[in-house]
Amino acid sequence: MSDDFIDLRSDTVTAPSAEMREAAATAEVGDDVYRDDPTVNELERRAAEAVGTEAALYVPSGTMANQIAVHAHTEPGQELLLERESHIYRWELAGAAKLSGVQTRTIDAGERCVPTPDAVREGLVDEDLHRPGTGLLSLENTHNYRGGKAIPVDRIAAAAEAARDADVPIHLDGARVFNAAVALGVDASEIVAPVDSVTFCLSKGLGAPVGSILAGDESFIQDARRVRKLFGGGMRQAGIIAAPGLRALENVDRLAEDHANAERLAAGLDALDGVDAPAPDTNIVVAHTEDAGIPAESLYAACKEAGVGCVEFDDYTTRFTTHLDVDEADVDAAIDRIAAVVEGLRD
Ligand SMILES: Cc1ncc(COP(=O)(O)O)c(C=O)c1O
């Protein structure tokens, strides 16, 4: 990829900073399966503190954190209730079915992103002679597919309460929960308070090269640690990769810059004829190009050719994501390039 390429495919594309590389090189390490790695232990302590939970577990990826949560909360044959466009349902290779033997039941929450309490109650299944029972409700904040929407705390709390009333635990896929917290002006712990477990990623907007966190209470994390081992995620001198993760936790406040850049990008794209790019809550911009007659597949290919990375989301929907490695000037350059691409592809 050329130096001039403006990579807006995802906030996962960032390169570790010099400080992160230095932290990795000098990290104190031990065998983390024996709980002997002081850097991992410190990261888990600080991560739990950051979301207000009793404990936390360092894992290689957001997908593994989510799948461990599904496995630890449920029994095979139960149902997992979740939103129709959620990452766990849409992008995790049916892991819930393959790794945990659960059946998924989806709710279309639309632009609300989180199901209403009534929709949750309707989706919950009581265990009886014919029905398997719901083992877990999973929510997502920010909602990736629906454009990085930051879901207000009360909406999460209301859905969670409906599940809790039926003794069903709640997981939050908060891969970008700090983006939500910054956008909503609340502490991440407020978003997490109503749920039993949360995933968040160090390797997205926070800029770490590797790693995610699964957080919850002590007994849940004890179970989750066994599941991590089962899934092959027990790591040894993991302090080498956990050390940049500790530095990443310092990057929460600067997420506001990514949000401002995303807003600038969306405004620039929305101004193009036939392009609908709603103002984003956080760092994810989705551009709809049906009115311009431009399929996402063509836009993606032409943007790549023009030096802008993006991701196809749907037939006419394309995602652009801002992050630590792009600034306002990059965004302006990206808008110019995309404008030229759109002009060239227009019907
Ligand atoms: C909402 C959400 N959850 C989970 C993940 C999975 O994270 P990872 O790519 O680290 O497996 C992603 C990745 O983009 C995501 O957007």
Side-chain angles (χ1 to χ4, degrees):
M1 219 166 276
S2 86
D3 278 354
D4 186 38
F5 191 77
I6 303 168
D7 199 346
L8 303 176
R9 285 174 302 169
S10 176
D11 46 10
T12 56
V13 300
T14 55
S17 63
E19 291 78 16
M20 286 182 181
R21 288 174 188 273
E22 171 71 16
T26 57
E28 248 189 280
V29 296
D31 188 326
D32 182 51
V33 171
Y34 293 113
R35 312 285 303 272
D36 280 349
D37 190 304
T39 308
V40 173
N41 292 342
E42 174 66 2
L43 175 62
E44 291 178 344
R45 193 187 63 73
R46 294 257 303 275
E49 204 174 80
V51 289
T53 59
E54 279 177 10
L57 184 71
Y58 182 53
V59 298
S61 70
T63 301
M64 190 186 280
N66 283 338
Q67 294 300 327
I68 290 173
V70 170
H71 198 87
H73 282 300
T74 61
E75 297 295 331
Q78 285 188 315
E79 286 198 0
L80 164 64
L81 184 62
L82 75 183
E83 210 276 319
R84 196 186 74 174
E85 306 297 354
S86 60
H87 195 277
I88 293 179
Y89 184 65
R90 201 181 161 101
W91 308 108
E92 297 187 13
L93 294 159
K98 286 159 115 169
L99 303 171
S100 301
V102 294
Q103 164 163 292
T104 43
R105 177 178 295 270
T106 60
I107 299 172
D108 182 355
E111 287 304 299
R112 207 174 175 279
C113 300
V114 164
T116 61
D118 279 347
V120 170
R121 280 187 280 272
E122 229 170 86
L124 293 170
V125 167
D126 283 336
E127 183 184 333
D128 66 16
L129 183 61
H130 304 283
R131 307 201 74 189
T134 304
L136 180 66
L137 169 70
S138 180
L139 309 172
E140 187 172 312
N141 198 8
T142 63
H143 198 299
N144 172 33
Y145 183 79
R146 297 195 190 274
K149 284 266 171 59
I151 322 293
V153 175
D154 57 351
R155 217 179 279 176
I156 296 276
E161 196 182 330
R164 195 169 308 289
D165 284 348
D167 287 329
V168 170
I170 308 101
H171 174 67
L172 180 70
D173 178 356
R176 298 183 181 83
V177 74
F178 292 107
N179 292 87
V182 166
L184 298 167
V186 301
D187 197 86
S189 61
E190 287 182 53
I191 300 175
V192 171
V195 304
D196 297 288
S197 60
V198 62
T199 291
F200 74 83
C201 295
L202 298 161
S203 59
K204 296 198 165 65
L206 302 181
V210 189
S212 291
I213 296 291
L214 178 60
D217 66 24
E218 288 284 1
S219 73
F220 170 77
I221 293 300
Q222 237 175 332
D223 293 346
R225 196 175 289 281
R226 293 189 79 232
V227 180
R228 183 183 69 174
K229 193 74 175 67
L230 172 70
F231 288 176
M235 298 176 285
R236 303 298 177 169
Q237 285 70 36
I240 293 285
I241 48 173
L246 273 163
R247 303 308 295 255
L249 286 176
E250 294 163 14
N251 284 335
V252 169
D253 290 340
R254 66 146 306 284
L255 292 170
E257 290 171 39
D258 297 344
H259 300 176
N261 283 333
E263 202 176 326
R264 190 178 181 89
L265 178 64
L269 300 188
D270 197 60
L272 305 175
D273 226 15
V275 178
D276 175 26
D281 287 348
T282 59
N283 66 330
I284 293 176
V285 175
V286 285
H288 308 283
T289 49
E290 190 158 16
D291 290 351
I294 302 174
E297 197 181 359
S298 315
L299 184 65
Y300 160 78
C303 280
K304 189 175 175 192
E305 190 67 22
V308 178
C310 55
V311 165
E312 280 175 64
F313 246 14
D314 243 330
D315 292 353
Y316 287 94
T317 305
T318 305
R319 184 186 82 170
F320 299 85
T321 306
T322 57
H323 52 75
L324 196 57
D325 287 356
V326 289
D327 59 18
E328 208 176 274
D330 294 319
V331 166
D332 288 343
I335 293 169
D336 289 346
R337 291 179 196 182
I338 299 164
V341 161
V342 166
E343 222 26 71
L345 292 173
R346 197 185 293 290
D347 267 353

